[in-house]
C-alpha cells in the first residue's frame, strides 16, 4: 500500500482486530483472579464463583443471622458466616446438578404466604414493595435469594427421603448408648502441684508484658434509658368490671370449650383479667413507642422527653460494650447505643419486656491496667500454667515407665506396685457419653476407653481438669429388654444424624 493514509488506516484496523482482544483478555484474566468486585471469591468444583454472587449470598445469610441474633453481630460470627456461605453455594451447585427447579408459580406462592407481606391473611403487593425498600433490596434480588432457599428445601427434602434406618443401626445406637465398661483411671490434677510452685517478680512482669490482651479492660459504656416495662404497667392496671365483661364478650373464641359451649363470666373471671391486662399493657407500650418515635423526629432533648412523658430514668454502667450483662441491662437497649457518640440518643427499643429510649452518657476506651492492679491475676495464671506443665510431665513420665515395664514382661499390676509414691488410681464405671467422676464431661476420655483394647494403656489425655491415663478392664453386658421402649426415639435420632451426614 503506497498511500500513507491508507497504510495508517489498515494498521489501526489490524490493531483493533488483533491487539484489542489481547488487552481485553488479559484485563479479564486479572479481574477473574482478584478477590473483589469484578473478580472471583474462590473456586467451587473447578468453577470460579463471582465475587458479587458470593457477597449476595453472604448478605442474605447475614440478614437471617440478624433476624435471629439482633443487629449487632459479634465479630466472632464472621468466619462462621463465611463458611455457611460456601456451604450454601455448594448445596446450590448440587441442586443444579440434580436439575432441581423452582417454578415462577411456586415462587409467587411462597412470597404470598409470608405473613409480613399480608394484611389480615391477604397478600398486599404495596406492602411487599415497601418492606423490601425498607430492607434496602429490590424484588428481583429478593426473589432470586428466595428461589435459592426453595431450591435448598427441595434438595433437603430429597436427601431426607433417600435416608433409611435399619434395625441393625437402631441396635448399634442402643448398644452405644447403654454399653458400659470398667476402667482404671489415673489422673494428675494440676492443682496438686501448685503448692510447690513459686514465681519470681521478673517472671510475673514478663508474663504480663507477653499477654497484654489477657488483662486489657475492654471498651466500657455508661447508658441512661427511660421507658416503661410490661411488669410495671401490669402492676398498676386495675381494669373495671365493665371492661372485663366487654373483653369477655369481644373474645368469645378464647373462652369457648371444645364442645362449643361457653362458661358464664363468673366462672372465668380470673382468667379474663390477666388477658385483658396483657392486652391493655401492650397497647400502652405501643402507644409509648409511637410517642417516642415522634419525639425523636421532632429532635426533642432527652430531658424534655422524660419530663413530658413522665418516665423514670435508669443509669447503667460502666459495662463492657461487646458483652453487656443481661441481668443489668437489656441487650436490645445496650445495642441501640453501641455505635453512638456520647450524648446521642438511640432508636426506640421495643421488646417483650417493655419500651425504652436510651442515651449514651460515656464511652470509656479500652485500656491496659498497670501491672500492680492485676498482679494477683498474673501470679495465678503463671502458677496455674506451670502446675499444668508439671502435671503433664509427671503423667508422661509415669506412662513411659509403665509402658517400658509392661513391654519387658512385667504385669501391669506389678508395674504399678513398683512406683514410689504409688499413683492415685481408681476404678470407674463409664458409658460412652456420661460424665466421669471426678473429671466431669470429657468425651475424649470416654472415646479412648471404648476405642482401645482391654488391658491397654491409653496415651496421656489432656482434659480441663487433669492429665489422664485410662486402662479399660472389663466390658459389661448390655441388657436388651428396654430396647423396645427406646426404639422410636433412637430411630429418630439416628435418622437425623444420617440426614445431616448426607
Amino acid at each position: 500500500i503506497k498511500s500513507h493514509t491508507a497504510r495508517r488506516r489498515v494498521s489501526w484496523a489490524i490493531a483493533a482486530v488483533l491487539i484489542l482482544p489481547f488487552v481485553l483478555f488479559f484485563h479479564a484474566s486479572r479481574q477473574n483472579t482478584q478477590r473483589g468486585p469484578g473478580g472471583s471469591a474462590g473456586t467451587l468444583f473447578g468453577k470460579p464463583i463471582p465475587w458479587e454472587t458470593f457477597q449476595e449470598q453472604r448478605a442474605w445469610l447475614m440478614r437471617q443471622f440478624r433476624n435471629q441474633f439482633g443487629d449487632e453481630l459479634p465479630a466472632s460470627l464472621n468466619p462462621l458466616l463465611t463458611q455457611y456461605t460456601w456451604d450454601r453455594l455448594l448445596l446450590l451447585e448440587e441442586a443444579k446438578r440434580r436439575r432441581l427447579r423452582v417454578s415462577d408459580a411456586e415462587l409467587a406462592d411462597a412470597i404470598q404466604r409470608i405473613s409480613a407481606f399480608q394484611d389480615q391473611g391477604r397478600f398486599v403487593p404495596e406492602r411487599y414493595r415497601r418492606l423490601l425498600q425498607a430492607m434496602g433490596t429490590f424484588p428481583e434480588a429478593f426473589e432470586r435469594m428466595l428461589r435459592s432457599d426453595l431450591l435448598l428445601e427441595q434438595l433437603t427434602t430429597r436427601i431426607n427421603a433417600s435416608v433409611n434406618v435399619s434395625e441393625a443401626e437402631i441396635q448399634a445406637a442402643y448398644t452405644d448408648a447403654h454399653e458400659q465398661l470398667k476402667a482404671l483411671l489415673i489422673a494428675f490434677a494440676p492443682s496438686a502441684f501448685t503448692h510447690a510452685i513459686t514465681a519470681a517478680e521478673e517472671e510475673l512482669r514478663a508474663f504480663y508484658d507477653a499477654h497484654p490482651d489477657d488483662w486489657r479492660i475492654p471498651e466500657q459504656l455508661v447508658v441512661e434509658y427511660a421507658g416503661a416495662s410490661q411488669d410495671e404497667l401490669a402492676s398498676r392496671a386495675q381494669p373495671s368490671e365493665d371492661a372485663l365483661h366487654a373483653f369477655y364478650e369481644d373474645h368469645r373464641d378464647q373462652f369457648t370449650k371444645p364442645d362449643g359451649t361457653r362458661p358464664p363470666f363468673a366462672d372465668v373471671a380470673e382468667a379474663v383479667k390477666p388477658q385483658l391486662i396483657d392486652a391493655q399493657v401492650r397497647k400502652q407500650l405501643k402507644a409509648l413507642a409511637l410517642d417516642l418515635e415522634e419525639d425523636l423526629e421532632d429532635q426533642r432533648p432527652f430531658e424534655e422527653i422524660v419530663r413530658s412523658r413522665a418516665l423514670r430514668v435508669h443509669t447503667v454502667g460502666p459495662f463492657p460494650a461487646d458483652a453487656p450483662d443481661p441481668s443489668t441491662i437489656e441487650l436490645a437497649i445496650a445495642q441501640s447505643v453501641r455505635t453512638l457518640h456520647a450524648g446521642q440518643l438511640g432508636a426506640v427499643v421495643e421488646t417483650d419486656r417493655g419500651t425504652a429510649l436510651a442515651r449514651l452518657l460515656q464511652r470509656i476506651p479500652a485500656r491496659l491496667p498497670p501491672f500492680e492492679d492485676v498482679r494477683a491475676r498474673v501470679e495465678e495464671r503463671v502458677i496455674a500454667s506451670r502446675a499444668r506443665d508439671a502435671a503433664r510431665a509427671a503423667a508422661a513420665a509415669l506412662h513411659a515407665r509403665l509402658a517400658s515395664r509392661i513391654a519387658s514382661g512385667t504385669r501391669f499390676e506389678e508395674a504399678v506396685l513398683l512406683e514410689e509414691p504409688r499413683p492415685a488410681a481408681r476404678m470407674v464405671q463409664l458409658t460412652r457419653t456420661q460424665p466421669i467422676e471426678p473429671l466431669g464431661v470429657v468425651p475424649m476420655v470416654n472415646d479412648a476407653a471404648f476405642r482401645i483394647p482391654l488391658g491397654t494403656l491409653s496415651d496421656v489425655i489432656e482434659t480441663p481438669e487433669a492429665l489422664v491415663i485410662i486402662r479399660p478392664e472389663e466390658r459389661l453386658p448390655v441388657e436388651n429388654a428396654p430396647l423396645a421402649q427406646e426404639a422410636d426415639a433412637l430411630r429418630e435420632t439416628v435418622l437425623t444424624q444420617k440426614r445431616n451426614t448426607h
Side-chain angles (χ1 to χ4, degrees):
I1 303 176
K2 294 181 179 181
S3 168
H4 176 73
T5 302
R7 284 201 306 271
R8 188 170 63 249
R9 289 175 179 173
V10 170
S11 297
W12 278 112
I14 294 173
V17 172
L18 297 179
I19 300 174
L20 187 59
F22 278 100
V23 172
L24 294 176
F25 171 79
F26 286 111
H27 175 73
S29 298
R30 287 197 303 272
Q31 291 295 319
N32 286 337
T33 56
Q34 75 176 19
R35 289 178 60 82
S40 169
T43 304
L44 201 60
F45 300 125
K47 184 175 78 173
I49 301 299
W51 180 261
E52 289 77 11
T53 299
F54 180 85
Q55 291 302 320
E56 184 179 48
Q57 295 286 350
R58 193 177 189 278
W60 179 258
L61 283 175
M62 183 178 289
R63 182 175 287 119
Q64 295 177 3
F65 271 43
R66 283 175 171 162
N67 288 341
Q68 185 172 356
F69 301 114
D71 287 338
E72 289 294 327
L73 292 179
S76 58
L77 278 180
N78 283 334
L80 188 64
L81 185 61
T82 298
Q83 181 60 51
Y84 279 3
T85 304
W86 282 113
D87 290 346
R88 180 179 172 89
L89 289 166
L90 185 149
L91 291 172
L92 287 171
E93 285 295 321
E94 175 66 10
K96 292 176 184 176
R97 188 186 70 82
R98 297 189 182 206
R99 301 182 185 280
L100 301 182
R101 295 288 184 272
V102 174
S103 69
D104 291 344
E106 291 171 323
L107 178 62
D109 180 64
I111 293 173
Q112 292 173 9
R113 284 189 283 107
I114 296 175
S115 59
F117 303 145
Q118 296 177 351
D119 182 13
Q120 298 182 351
R122 183 178 60 86
F123 175 72
V124 181
E126 181 56 32
R127 173 176 288 190
Y128 170 59
R129 287 189 291 271
R130 193 168 60 249
L131 284 176
L132 292 188
Q133 185 177 10
M135 291 165 58
T137 187
F138 300 97
E140 295 80 4
F142 176 81
E143 290 163 15
R144 184 166 57 250
M145 291 296 98
L146 184 59
R147 193 186 294 270
S148 296
D149 284 352
L150 297 175
L151 266 179
L152 294 180
E153 284 183 18
Q154 282 191 29
L155 178 64
T156 302
T157 300
R158 293 202 179 191
I159 290 174
N160 290 347
S162 68
V163 176
N164 296 304
V165 177
S166 66
E167 295 301 320
E169 288 172 319
I170 295 175
Q171 177 67 58
Y174 177 82
T175 300
D176 286 348
H178 294 276
E179 187 177 16
Q180 299 185 48
L181 60 75
K182 290 183 178 180
L184 192 71
L185 183 74
I186 305 173
F188 291 81
S191 58
F193 295 82
T194 56
H195 68 280
I197 297 175
T198 58
E201 195 72 10
E202 296 78 10
E203 183 181 4
L204 297 181
R205 286 187 176 275
F207 193 86
Y208 167 83
D209 292 336
H211 303 85
D213 290 340
D214 292 355
W215 332 113
R216 194 182 306 279
I217 299 173
E219 182 184 50
Q220 309 270 304
L221 302 180
V222 180
V223 174
E224 64 177 353
Y225 67 92
S229 72
Q230 187 165 13
D231 292 341
E232 177 187 356
L233 294 179
S235 66
R236 298 202 302 255
Q238 295 294 333
S240 66
E241 195 72 16
D242 290 343
L244 292 171
H245 275 283
F247 187 85
Y248 172 73
E249 293 296 335
D250 292 341
H251 299 79
R252 291 172 172 268
D253 293 344
Q254 294 184 27
F255 306 104
T256 301
K257 295 180 179 180
D259 61 4
T261 62
R262 193 161 65 104
F265 173 78
D267 292 351
V268 294
E270 290 303 314
V272 172
K273 185 175 180 179
Q275 293 191 41
L276 171 58
I277 289 176
D278 182 68
Q280 289 178 339
V281 166
R282 290 184 182 279
K283 285 183 180 179
Q284 289 175 309
L285 291 174
K286 191 62 184 177
L288 175 61
L290 294 173
D291 289 340
L292 294 176
E293 292 280 5
E294 185 176 328
D295 292 338
L296 286 179
E297 290 179 5
D298 293 341
Q299 298 183 349
R300 299 176 66 188
F302 183 75
E303 291 79 4
E304 183 182 335
I305 295 173
V306 169
R307 187 172 56 256
S308 63
R309 304 296 178 193
L311 303 176
R312 282 199 308 162
V313 178
H314 306 267
T315 303
V316 183
F319 59 83
D322 288 334
D325 184 353
S327 65
T328 302
I329 184 171
E330 279 199 75
L331 297 181
I333 296 176
Q335 289 175 352
S336 71
V337 297
R338 173 69 181 83
T339 59
L340 302 182
H341 297 294
Q344 288 185 314
L345 295 178
V348 176
V349 175
E350 296 180 75
T351 71
D352 293 337
R353 295 169 58 182
T355 297
L357 178 66
R359 175 169 67 173
L360 182 64
L361 287 181
Q362 186 180 10
R363 183 182 296 276
I364 305 172
R367 62 186 180 90
L368 182 64
F371 169 76
E372 290 73 18
D373 291 358
V374 293
R375 185 188 183 285
R377 288 171 55 200
V378 175
E379 184 175 23
E380 183 181 337
R381 281 279 305 278
V382 169
I383 291 177
S385 176
R386 289 179 55 187
R388 178 164 284 273
D389 291 342
R392 187 183 296 112
L398 174 64
H399 187 280
R401 290 194 300 270
L402 292 178
S404 176
R405 291 169 187 158
I406 293 170
S408 64
T410 305
R411 293 175 58 245
F412 172 75
E413 292 77 9
E414 296 173 351
V416 172
L417 291 175
L418 292 173
E419 285 292 318
E420 287 294 341
R422 195 76 46 79
R426 60 186 296 175
M427 191 67 69
V428 295
Q429 188 167 316
L430 63 156
T431 70
R432 291 180 181 271
T433 57
Q434 291 177 346
I436 305 171
E437 289 296 335
L439 303 176
V441 179
V442 279
M444 62 188 74
V445 176
N446 301 67
D447 178 64
F450 279 93
R451 179 169 36 83
I452 63 179
L454 295 177
T456 303
L457 279 179
S458 73
D459 294 331
V460 177
I461 305 169
E462 190 153 349
T463 77
E465 293 295 325
L467 285 299
V468 172
I469 301 171
I470 195 163
R471 183 177 187 266
E473 302 285 345
E474 178 188 1
R475 289 184 182 271
L476 304 178
V478 177
E479 184 181 351
N480 279 325
L483 173 58
Q485 302 172 6
E486 302 181 29
D488 291 342
L490 285 171
R491 186 187 305 277
E492 191 63 33
T493 299
V494 175
L495 185 61
T496 299
Q497 291 171 348
K498 291 187 68 177
R499 285 173 172 174
N500 289 341
T501 300
H502 278 62

